[in-house]
Amino acid sequence: MEKKRGLLIGRMQPVHNGHIQVIKETLKDVDEIIIGIGSAQLSHTLKDPFTAGERVMMLTQALSENSIKHRHYYIIPMEDIQLNAVWPAHVKMMTPPFSKVFTGNPLVDRLFREEGYDVTRPPLFNREELSGTEVRYRMLHDENWESLVPQATVDIVSEVDGIQRLKDLSKKEVSDLKKRE
Ligand code: NAD
C-alpha cells in the first residue's frame, strides 16, 4: 500500500517540546513525516544560533528519546531561497514526495496552499512558553530553559557550548534580540 507522507518545516532554533509534540501529532495522520530543518544556512546569530548539523543532532536524538522509529521520518536541512513564490517547488525538489503539509506558519501555509497542497494547522501546545524565542531568551538570561526542551537539546547545547555562544553573540547584537512577548 502506498505510504501517506507529510511535510513539516521549522527553523527549530533550538528543537523544543512543541516541535516534538507536533511531530507526534502529525504521525497520527501520516505514515511518514518529512521534517525540514529550515533556514539551514543560518547559524551564529541571536535569532539563529545553532547550525543545521546541530539541529539535526538535537532532533534525531529527541525523536529517539521519544521512541519515534526511524522508519517514520526523514530529516532534511533546507536552505532558504530569495523567491517565496517558487519556494514550494524548491522544497519539493529536495524531499521525498508528500501530499500533506503541516504548519502553524502563515507564510508556509499560504505558499503551499497556492500550489494546491492539503495544508493543516496542527494545534499549538503551550505556545506561551514553547517557542524558540522564549527558549533563547531564557538561555541568555540564565532562566530555566531546560524544562522547555527535550534532554537531547540540553545535551547538544552543552556539547557545543551553546549558552556561551549566545552570550558572546549578545555582546555585539543586543539590538537584534526579540523582546519576550
Ligand atoms: P518554527 O521552528 O518556529 O516552527 C516549526 C513548526 O512547528 C511550525 O509549523 C510551528 O507552528 C510548529 N510549532 C512551533 N512551536 C509549537 C508549539 N508550541 N506547538 C505546536 N506547534 C508548534 O519554524 P518556522 O518559522 O515556522 O519555520 C519556517 C521555515 O520555513 C523557516 O526556516 C523559513 O525561513 C522557511 N521558509 C523559507 C522560505 C524561502 O526560502 N523563500 C519561504 C517560507 C518559509
Side-chain angles (χ1 to χ4, degrees):
M1 204 175 67
E2 202 172 299
K3 285 190 173 148
K4 195 170 167 194
R5 235 172 265 116
L7 173 80
L8 173 80
I9 293 199
R11 281 178 31 246
M12 311 208 189
Q13 286 284 10
V15 173
H16 58 64
N17 291 335
H19 296 127
I20 304 305
Q21 294 262 40
V22 83
I23 289 166
K24 284 184 178 167
E25 200 64 26
T26 65
L27 284 171
K28 292 180 185 164
D29 193 9
V30 292
D31 304 305
E32 295 179 349
I33 186 76
I34 300 155
I35 309 164
I37 303 281
S39 306
Q41 79 282 7
L42 299 180
S43 73
H44 294 81
T45 69
L46 283 179
K47 193 171 166 226
D48 292 278
F50 302 107
T51 67
E54 288 161 356
R55 289 175 276 158
V56 168
M57 283 201 294
M58 289 172 193
L59 192 54
T60 310
Q61 289 183 29
L63 294 176
S64 164
E65 246 174 57
N66 281 272
S67 306
I68 299 173
K69 300 231 167 10
H70 200 258
R71 65 172 181 272
H72 292 303
Y73 64 86
Y74 303 86
I75 301 176
I76 303 183
M78 301 283 319
E79 289 184 24
D80 293 330
I81 60 166
Q82 299 235 332
L83 311 165
N84 278 339
V86 297
W87 181 65
H90 171 73
V91 172
K92 199 175 151 199
M93 181 183 75
M94 303 294 287
T95 54
F98 58 90
S99 54
K100 282 202 79 159
V101 176
F102 299 93
T103 186
N105 178 313
L107 175 61
V108 175
D109 184 320
R110 181 74 212 169
L111 294 176
F112 277 103
R113 214 175 274 276
E114 285 187 9
E115 293 304 310
Y117 281 91
D118 174 1
V119 181
T120 299
R121 282 191 184 210
L124 285 173
F125 302 97
N126 184 13
R127 187 62 175 162
E128 291 284 297
E129 289 191 309
L130 295 181
S131 81
T133 307
E134 178 69 17
V135 176
R136 293 190 306 276
Y137 181 96
R138 291 190 187 191
M139 285 173 161
L140 206 44
H141 294 88
D142 298 321
E143 294 180 20
N144 174 11
W145 58 275
E146 291 93 335
S147 62
L148 307 183
V149 304
Q151 184 58 40
T153 297
V154 176
D155 293 345
I156 305 300
V157 169
S158 160
E159 184 181 332
V160 303
D161 200 18
I163 303 297
Q164 193 56 47
R165 181 188 296 174
L166 263 177
K167 289 183 177 176
D168 288 347
L169 291 167
S170 78
K171 288 175 196 159
K172 283 197 230 154
E173 283 192 56
V174 90
S175 60
D176 284 357
L177 183 63
K178 273 197 192 166
K179 285 200 188 98
R180 180 156 36 172
E181 287 157 348

